[in-house]
Amino acid sequence: MLRRRRNGGVRWAVGLEHVSRRFGDVVALDDVSFAVPEGGIIGVIGPSGAGKTTAIRLITGGLAPDSGVVRVLDEDPRRFRRRTRERIGYMPQLFVLYPDLTASENVEFMAALFGIPPWRRGDRVQKVLELVDLVEARNRRASALSGGMQRRLELACALVHQPSLLILDEPTAGIDPLLRTRIWQEFDRLRAAGVTIIVTTQYVGEAEYCDSVALISDGDLVAFAAPEDLRRQALGGEMLSVGTKAPIDVRALPPIEGVLLVRQHSATEVHFVTENAGIASPRINDAIESIGGNVEFSREHRPNFDEVFSSLVTQHLEARQQQAQAQDAGQRTEAAAA
């Protein structure tokens, strides 16, 4: 069982080990394992219906796994002590606040539930309402707020008691890009203060803000790594885009040390997948010049995360399909032998 390591080692805030969860015939999560270190931002990213919300409900104790182990702050989420629950801030995917209370009253009520004394509540309420840009709407009932404003109000309620673990299910859904940037800046500030943040999102570009990303598709954990490592996994290495003044025949290139793959992108542009772009770049230039080419530009190609995630999911599906075909072939062979 995963335990938080002490004495200078990594301290895990959350751990999932071989966790599976089904709803009837639907497999929401299938043998998922990953661990979240304290003081980091972990993004759980994937399309709608991928299993992200199921993972969050397991972490918060709203669901029990069919198999596997979930540990949060060294405890089983289904048996949290009150003190542990008070250290956690949770923003669910669906609107769950009190519709007849104003924005300010909702936040103040949550502050009172978490034991913030009356003389500190006003300041905390003001700060979180400023963060989510709801100061002018503080006296409006929650039911009268737009969908995006309700999401921001829920975020304010999750932040008001200054939790050490913040679990956010689609916190930036329906929020304009400028405010999303401000909210992620606040997440970065919280991380610097030692807060652990787990956030699900369909905005794959937000992976750039995370320390590590868990990519989930159809209940499978496709990848779990830092953003740059995900790029390397998707490409197979680091990619250099090299342009030439005139077309070249890449088939005439000699073997280049450190180059894993060569792709002709256009008549005058070639993509090289390398082990290390910085080391490979001068070798590539020399190889091109050796066949009479002239390099016009050489730059590292950094695919956006839409491309990265599409590539990783495609690779995962292909591998799963190949595995299924191999199993079917093995079963047929065994049946024929019998």
Side-chain angles (χ1 to χ4, degrees), residues 18-335:
H18 303 292
V19 170
S20 296
R21 173 70 197 203
R22 301 176 67 97
F23 297 95
D25 294 333
V26 177
V27 180
L29 288 178
D30 186 16
D31 195 26
V32 170
S33 298
F34 64 87
V36 179
E38 288 186 347
I41 300 179
I42 305 300
V44 182
I45 295 180
S48 179
K52 302 186 303 297
T53 295
T54 298
I56 292 299
R57 292 180 66 192
L58 289 165
I59 291 170
T60 57
L63 288 174
D66 294 328
S67 61
V69 176
V70 181
R71 299 289 294 181
V72 178
L73 301 178
D74 256 352
E75 295 183 19
D76 178 348
R78 303 281 288 178
R79 297 175 176 84
F80 277 142
R81 294 174 297 167
R82 177 179 176 181
R83 182 177 297 179
T84 303
R85 288 191 179 278
E86 290 175 350
R87 297 175 58 196
I88 299 172
Y90 173 48
M91 176 180 172
Q93 191 176 44
L94 300 176
F95 184 71
V96 294
L97 300 178
Y98 295 95
D100 292 331
L101 296 182
T102 66
S104 179
E105 288 169 342
N106 265 287
V107 180
E108 187 167 352
F109 178 69
M110 292 302 295
L113 283 181
F114 282 102
I116 297 177
W119 59 87
R120 287 184 53 207
R121 285 179 209 158
D123 182 57
R124 284 299 304 157
V125 170
Q126 177 70 17
K127 285 183 177 178
V128 293
L129 288 177
E130 288 175 356
L131 167 65
V132 298
D133 198 21
L134 283 179
V135 173
E136 293 185 2
R138 63 183 303 151
N139 294 321
R140 289 171 58 181
R141 289 187 177 183
S143 59
L145 300 175
S146 67
M149 294 172 79
Q150 288 177 346
R151 295 298 290 160
R152 285 145 54 189
L153 177 56
E154 288 183 296
L155 179 57
C157 289
L159 289 170
V160 69
H161 66 294
Q162 298 176 296
S164 59
L165 172 62
L166 191 56
I167 303 170
L168 307 169
D169 198 0
E170 304 276 2
T172 56
I175 294 176
D176 68 82
L178 288 177
L179 187 54
R180 282 211 308 268
T181 299
R182 279 182 51 195
I183 287 172
W184 275 100
Q185 287 172 345
E186 176 64 10
F187 292 166
D188 189 57
R189 187 195 67 77
L190 291 170
R191 170 179 55 186
V195 177
T196 305
I197 302 173
I198 301 175
V199 54
T200 74
T201 179
Q202 293 185 46
Y203 299 115
V204 294
E206 293 183 340
E208 208 63 88
Y209 300 118
C210 301
D211 297 308
S212 294
V213 176
L215 173 58
I216 296 179
S217 179
D218 291 331
D220 290 336
L221 182 65
V222 175
F224 181 66
E228 279 308 307
D229 291 335
L230 291 179
R231 279 197 173 97
R232 287 185 62 87
Q233 288 181 34
L235 296 173
E238 297 178 358
M239 183 177 286
L240 279 172
S241 176
V242 179
T244 56
K245 292 182 179 180
I248 64 169
D249 184 357
V250 296
R251 294 171 298 180
L253 288 170
I256 307 170
E257 183 181 355
V259 172
L260 307 173
L261 184 67
V262 180
R263 296 173 181 155
Q264 187 84 52
H265 184 67
S266 68
T268 59
E269 185 175 348
V270 184
H271 287 174
F272 295 85
V273 178
T274 70
E275 295 173 351
N276 185 300
I279 294 174
S281 182
R283 296 172 181 168
I284 292 170
N285 293 349
D286 291 343
I288 291 173
E289 291 175 0
S290 74
I291 62 170
N294 292 304
V295 175
E296 195 165 48
F297 66 82
S298 178
R299 55 176 174 257
E300 187 174 356
H301 176 68
R302 290 170 55 85
N304 61 45
F305 274 98
D306 287 296
E307 297 174 283
V308 169
F309 291 161
S310 176
S311 176
L312 289 172
V313 169
T314 299
Q315 292 174 24
H316 177 74
L317 292 176
E318 289 174 350
R320 191 166 66 176
Q321 186 177 30
Q322 290 173 1
Q323 184 180 20
Q325 290 173 348
Q327 289 176 345
D328 288 344
Q331 290 172 355
R332 288 195 298 268
T333 301
E334 291 176 2

